[in-house]
Amino acid sequence: MIKNTDHIELKNINFIVNKKLFFNNLCLNLSTSGITVILGPNGSGKSLLTKIIKGLIKSESGSLSIKLEKINPLSAYLSQDNVFFRRDVYSNLAYPMKINGYSNDQISQRVNFLLDYFEFDNKEESARRLSEGNKQYLAFIRTLVNKPKLLILDEPCSNLDMNYTKKIEDFLVKNKHDIKIIMVTHDIFQAKRLADEMLLMNNGKVIEVSKKNQFLKSKNILVQKFLNGIFF
Amino acid sequence: MNFLIDSLKLIISFDPDLYEIIWLSLRVSFSALFISCIIGLPISGLLSSTNFYGKRTLIIFFNSMMALPPVFVGLILYLLFSNTGFLGFLNLLYTPSVMIIAQVIIILPVIISVSTELLEQIFMEYKEIFDSFDVSLKNRIKTTVFDARIPLITCILTGLGRALSEVGAIIIVGGNIIHHTRVMTTTIALETSKGNLEMAMSLGIVLILISIGVNAIVMTMKMIAKRYSYD
């Protein structure tokens, strides 16, 4: 049955990794507003889950349905690998708008606004020659160019200093009412600062998904271990 | 040693026969290269950015075609364009046009194979960006080819080298007719067999000079491009 209300729903997702069923009938309903933070140890399936939500990877079976403000939202994805075209910073940011047919004036207005907002001023430099931190920061800015309604971020601040991290966090908090944000992080403190909803994964299974307050008080032994910094 | 001095004299004296041959060689080879790029680069773009049944077989086919003996290409084209051949009505045999066709058949697989490998690497690197921004196939190919433009020059140069040095096919379909289809490589073969080493050596020197010249231009272009590139 097709739902008319807003939802982010994954139903009976099966996904095979190295000939083993990694996601086995994974079912998940995420909140349609605010920030959902996905937590879990390495190899738990966090990045895979975000790629499936974005549609970059097709599951073997199951269904994914996303509706925000009653439509299939424009989404943007930030990967852990910050790949850029062999062009300058400005052209890399302009690219997503250019392929969608925006005029040069519209592109220039939007790109310059974002560069000013995030105080990133090396716009004529080669994007590929930036430091890893600057690349990650630029990749984050690039996800915002098309004004997405669903932002999927895979460890957006893993290489960033305090200054850039704060700018990104401030942006996310300020815009979480207009943009649905799904974000993977290993930083439990960042998760506590930003999350409205928290999700813990382990070995391809969802251990717990709930509102932040509930999650932090969870009786689940794995959640408690994770919150106390004990990894499994 | 005398024939070497005589051959240099021929070059310096701007011998009209010699320069007519050089001009026709360049016209045929550069035309063939241009046509091969127009046909080959979009095919490479498509092969590098799409997955379809038989893609690997097609790549293996183009790779194998790189070793196609030019004499065999000449023979097939001769049969096709001779009076009794399937395309005989076009009256193209023994014209520069059929020489260009022969060279296109010889260098097209080189352009496709070498550039597909290069474009595939760049495409795989960009795949996640393309997927995450839902980039259309046309834009994926355009972006990949545009960003690969500097290393693509080397692929194109490989094709030019093959075209300029080719003799087997064009001697069959062109007929090596003086003032009409005589080019550098066919003249070298003919004049050597006649014992006219001055002419043969002059053309050999010119061929080497062209090769060095083209390489020098390309190397300079690449150095300048690298300085201003964003890689």
Side-chain angles (χ1 to χ4, degrees), chain A residues 30-210:
Chain A
L30 296 177
S31 129
T32 54
S33 61
I35 303 175
T36 299
V37 171
I38 304 175
L39 296 160
N42 287 331
S44 57
K46 306 181 298 293
S47 297
L48 197 60
L49 180 66
T50 56
K51 283 181 180 174
I52 287 175
I53 295 172
K54 171 61 190 163
L56 295 178
I57 293 178
K58 296 272 174 275
S59 56
E60 319 293 334
S61 60
S63 65
L64 163 74
S65 175
I66 301 174
K67 211 163 241 187
L68 298 175
E69 295 170 3
K70 293 182 181 169
I71 54 163
N72 195 1
L74 178 67
S75 62
Y77 174 76
L78 174 68
S79 147
Q80 282 183 43
D81 311 312
N82 303 307
V83 178
F84 290 97
F85 296 123
R86 288 158 171 80
R87 300 168 191 203
D88 63 12
V89 166
Y90 181 90
S91 305
N92 267 282
L93 291 180
Y95 186 83
M97 289 184 83
K98 210 170 175 181
I99 55 160
N100 282 319
Y102 287 94
S103 70
N104 285 341
D105 281 350
Q106 287 170 308
I107 295 171
S108 151
Q109 211 175 354
R110 178 71 180 154
V111 170
N112 287 322
F113 165 77
L114 287 170
L115 287 169
D116 288 345
Y117 184 94
F118 287 99
E119 293 170 28
F120 196 92
D121 42 29
N122 335 7
K123 71 174 176 182
E124 277 157 23
E125 238 181 86
S126 162
R128 295 166 72 89
R129 289 189 197 144
L130 295 172
S131 68
E132 283 309 308
N134 276 334
K135 273 187 192 171
Q136 191 172 23
Y137 193 53
L138 183 67
F140 174 77
I141 299 171
R142 184 174 60 185
T143 59
L144 305 174
V145 168
N146 274 339
K147 298 184 182 171
K149 284 289 169 192
L150 171 61
L151 198 53
I152 303 161
L153 309 169
D154 194 354
E155 298 188 41
C157 304
S158 57
N159 286 318
L160 302 185
D161 63 16
M162 289 293 287
N163 182 32
Y164 281 170
T165 302
K166 190 172 179 324
K167 275 182 189 154
I168 289 182
E169 287 187 5
D170 287 349
F171 175 87
L172 296 178
V173 171
K174 197 175 159 190
N175 289 279
K176 67 180 184 178
H177 301 294
D178 299 319
I179 308 171
K180 168 65 194 170
I181 296 150
I182 298 172
M183 156 180 177
V184 172
T185 183
H186 276 292
D187 182 347
I188 189 70
F189 300 107
Q190 185 180 51
K192 285 178 184 172
R193 280 197 300 273
L194 298 177
D196 296 303
E197 181 181 52
M198 292 170 103
L199 188 161
L200 179 66
M201 295 192 73
N202 188 34
N203 268 333
K205 291 184 180 66
V206 174
I207 306 298
E208 170 126 1
V209 52
S210 55

Side-chain angles (χ1 to χ4, degrees), chain B:
Chain B
M1 197 61 192
N2 276 347
F3 75 88
L4 194 65
I5 295 163
D6 289 343
S7 58
L8 284 172
K9 274 184 190 164
L10 266 177
I11 298 170
I12 298 162
S13 66
F14 291 99
D15 180 78
D17 286 348
L18 180 79
Y19 280 88
E20 185 188 55
I21 291 167
I22 294 168
W23 169 240
L24 182 65
S25 296
L26 293 177
R27 216 179 75 193
V28 169
S29 295
F30 276 95
S31 303
L33 183 70
F34 179 73
I35 294 167
S36 300
C37 288
I38 297 287
I39 301 170
L41 292 180
I43 294 175
S44 299
L46 210 63
L47 283 173
S48 60
S49 55
T50 50
N51 270 321
F52 55 87
Y53 185 74
K55 174 182 157 175
R56 286 289 139 198
T57 315
L58 210 56
I59 290 176
I60 291 169
F61 169 76
F62 285 123
N63 284 343
S64 315
M65 286 299 104
M66 283 205 292
L68 198 65
V71 180
F72 180 70
V73 174
L75 176 66
I76 297 293
L77 288 178
Y78 181 85
L79 293 173
L80 270 175
F81 287 100
S82 63
N83 279 341
T84 51
F86 183 64
L87 298 171
F89 67 94
L90 293 172
N91 288 325
L92 286 179
L93 200 63
Y94 305 132
T95 65
S97 303
V98 79
M99 291 160 75
I100 294 171
I101 295 171
Q103 290 208 338
V104 167
I105 293 170
I106 291 162
I107 64 175
L108 187 62
V110 178
I111 301 277
I112 292 176
S113 297
V114 182
S115 57
T116 299
E117 204 176 315
L118 169 78
L119 293 176
E120 214 166 26
Q121 271 176 23
I122 295 180
F123 181 80
M124 287 316 290
E125 192 190 338
Y126 288 174
K127 191 174 183 305
E128 200 165 77
I129 319 179
F130 289 150
D131 287 347
S132 60
F133 287 111
D134 293 324
V135 181
S136 67
L137 178 63
K138 188 180 146 202
N139 279 325
R140 285 174 192 229
I141 295 173
K142 263 171 69 178
T143 306
T144 311
V145 172
F146 181 79
D147 281 18
R149 62 197 181 280
I150 297 168
L152 269 179
I153 294 172
T154 313
C155 302
I156 293 167
L157 196 66
T158 314
L160 180 67
R162 181 115 160 101
L164 278 172
S165 60
E166 203 284 310
V167 59
I170 51 171
I171 207 163
I172 295 175
V173 295
N176 201 16
I177 302 165
I178 193 159
H179 303 307
H180 190 50
T181 57
R182 189 163 288 184
V183 290
M184 283 191 279
T185 47
T186 57
T187 314
I188 291 172
L190 177 76
E191 298 299 332
T192 307
S193 67
K194 279 164 54 184
N196 184 5
L197 296 179
E198 295 83 18
M199 187 65 157
M201 187 53 93
S202 309
L203 288 166
I205 291 168
V206 172
L207 255 179
I208 291 169
L209 287 176
I210 289 171
S211 172
I212 293 171
V214 171
N215 269 292
I217 292 167
V218 170
M219 284 294 284
T220 314
M221 271 169 64
K222 279 177 84 173
M223 273 166 60
I224 295 167
K226 202 157 181 76
R227 200 175 301 156
Y228 296 102
S229 84
Y230 295 103
D231 198 6

Side-chain angles (χ1 to χ4, degrees), chain A residues 3-19:
Chain A
K3 281 187 177 180
N4 279 325
T5 51
D6 286 356
H7 60 271
I8 300 174
E9 187 180 80
L10 290 95
K11 235 184 203 175
N12 303 322
I13 297 287
N14 288 309
F15 194 84
I16 293 168
V17 176
N18 295 332
K19 295 178 185 171

